[in-house]
Amino acid sequence: MIKIAVPNKGALSEHAVTVLKEAGYKGRGLTKALNVIDEPNGVEFFFLRPKDIAIYVAKGHLDLGITGRDLAADSRAKVDEVLDLGFGASTFRFAAPQGETWTVEALEGKRIATSYPHLVADYLAERGIEPAEIIRLDGAVEISIKLGVADVIADVVSTGATLRQQGLAPFGEPIMSSAAVVVKRAGAELGEDHERVLKRITGILTAHNYLMIDYNVAREQLDAAVALTPGITGPTVAPLQQENWVAVRAMVLKERANQVMDELAAIGAEGILATELRIARL
């Protein structure tokens, strides 16, 4: 039985539990259980603090773990990323009061507040910058400048709304672009059972990100239509009873579906339909 870590709370947890449930795995239910055994699928899930997951995986106590790329990096645990889950996207950036001019080089000798002290320390060390102090805070990092605790902060930025509310603005390049990822112990080989889990998850993510497009088009416009809907390995094309017309089926990215449908209509396609996917294997 393979062992997989899942975040126990927060946005990462909600998305991860949803994907796993749709992939056919047993959920946590309404309990606060720290582990759930899914006997039919040969998996035991452990619900842990997102910051701790990479550490357990790196030490070999767990086979796979779902966590944030930034959290894994801050743990300094020796893990390899095996799958980008595509949700929980954010950037990790420095920020200072709006209206002030800051550069990363100006952080020399400054106080930096963050919930990710190792990530910040490693980033600055690579650039030969030595701050006066890196202050670890477990929450409400944005208020630390106003309270006189720090000169600047380094924090996760999704929309930037929280920074703006505190009169802060990001500066410099992103320290890291993060998202939810699946990690394994560095150098560890994955077996068939592990690969099966990853393929199931990938199938659900594909279903979330794609739609199936069906339409009819004149054969003389088929090349133009296929250019708009190339699909994964090529569209399915079948002749219609109406002479010189064909039916086409292809997967398209959900975010582009409306634009593709507009472009198909513009070249004379008819009966254009988009269908949600539930599960996929590519």
Side-chain angles (χ1 to χ4, degrees), residues 26-71:
K26 186 176 180 180
R28 194 180 187 185
L30 299 177
T31 71
K32 295 290 186 178
L34 295 180
N35 67 304
V36 171
I37 297 176
D38 187 342
E39 193 73 40
N41 288 305
V43 179
E44 184 173 6
F45 295 101
F46 292 82
F47 296 88
L48 307 172
R49 285 187 0 132
K51 283 192 172 186
D52 297 336
I53 287 175
I55 297 171
Y56 283 107
V57 173
K59 291 183 178 296
H61 300 303
L62 299 169
D63 299 285
L64 299 170
I66 298 173
T67 187
R69 183 179 293 123
D70 51 357
L71 294 170

Side-chain angles (χ1 to χ4, degrees), residues 4 13 25 36 51 74 107 156 169 178 223 243 262 277:
I4 301 175
S13 176
Y25 293 106
V36 171
K51 283 192 172 186
D74 189 62
L107 294 173
V156 174
S178 184
D223 288 345
E243 188 175 358
D262 291 341
L277 301 174

Side-chain angles (χ1 to χ4, degrees), residues 19 22-23 199-212 232 251-254 275-282:
V19 169
E22 292 181 8
K199 286 179 180 178
R200 280 200 190 187
I201 294 173
T202 300
I204 298 303
L205 297 177
T206 299
H208 286 179
N209 295 325
Y210 283 83
L211 293 174
M212 188 67 75
I232 303 300
M251 289 171 61
V252 301
L253 282 169
K254 185 178 292 186
T275 307
E276 292 277 357
L277 301 174
R278 294 295 302 275
I279 304 173
R281 294 288 189 278
L282 300 182

Side-chain angles (χ1 to χ4, degrees), residues 14 61 91 108-109 114 118 133 136 165 169 202-203 207 214 268:
E14 294 172 7
H61 300 303
T91 57
E108 184 80 31
T114 184
H118 294 147
E133 185 180 7
R136 176 173 180 168
Q165 288 173 0
T202 300
D214 291 273

Side-chain angles (χ1 to χ4, degrees), residues 41-267:
N41 288 305
V43 179
E44 184 173 6
F45 295 101
F46 292 82
F47 296 88
L48 307 172
R49 285 187 0 132
K51 283 192 172 186
D52 297 336
I53 287 175
I55 297 171
Y56 283 107
V57 173
K59 291 183 178 296
H61 300 303
L62 299 169
D63 299 285
L64 299 170
I66 298 173
T67 187
R69 183 179 293 123
D70 51 357
L71 294 170
D74 189 62
S75 74
R76 291 176 173 167
K78 294 183 179 180
V79 294
D80 292 332
E81 184 178 318
V82 294
L83 182 63
D84 185 334
L85 297 174
F87 58 79
S90 63
T91 57
F92 190 72
R93 305 193 65 179
F94 292 111
Q98 295 175 359
E100 296 184 7
T101 301
W102 281 84
T103 64
V104 173
E105 290 72 22
L107 294 173
E108 184 80 31
K110 302 299 182 183
R111 300 169 301 161
I112 306 169
T114 184
S115 297
Y116 299 74
H118 294 147
L119 184 55
V120 172
D122 293 344
Y123 178 87
L124 294 177
E126 289 175 2
R127 288 154 182 77
I129 299 170
E130 186 173 346
E133 185 180 7
I134 296 178
I135 304 157
R136 176 173 180 168
L137 299 175
D138 287 331
V141 175
E142 298 85 1
I143 200 68
S144 62
I145 298 176
K146 186 175 292 185
L147 292 175
V149 174
D151 301 302
V152 300
I153 68 167
D155 203 14
V156 174
V157 179
S158 296
T159 65
T162 304
L163 290 181
R164 289 192 293 273
Q165 288 173 0
Q166 296 299 324
L168 304 178
F171 66 90
E173 63 181 9
I175 300 169
M176 172 177 284
S177 294
S178 184
V181 295
V182 180
V183 297
K184 67 177 180 67
R185 181 167 55 86
E189 295 293 329
L190 296 181
E192 291 183 6
D193 292 342
H194 305 100
E195 295 291 353
R196 186 179 302 113
V197 172
L198 295 176
K199 286 179 180 178
R200 280 200 190 187
I201 294 173
T202 300
I204 298 303
L205 297 177
T206 299
H208 286 179
N209 295 325
Y210 283 83
L211 293 174
M212 188 67 75
I213 293 285
D214 291 273
Y215 59 91
N216 302 331
V217 70
R219 187 172 290 277
E220 64 184 16
Q221 292 295 332
L222 180 58
D223 288 345
V226 169
L228 295 173
T229 58
I232 303 300
T233 54
T236 299
V237 180
L240 291 174
Q241 185 174 9
Q242 184 176 344
E243 188 175 358
N244 293 323
W245 276 71
V246 294
V248 181
R249 163 170 280 200
M251 289 171 61
V252 301
L253 282 169
K254 185 178 292 186
E255 63 185 21
R256 294 199 66 248
N258 282 293
Q259 179 182 344
V260 169
M261 294 175 80
D262 291 341
E263 293 171 345
L264 287 170
I267 63 172

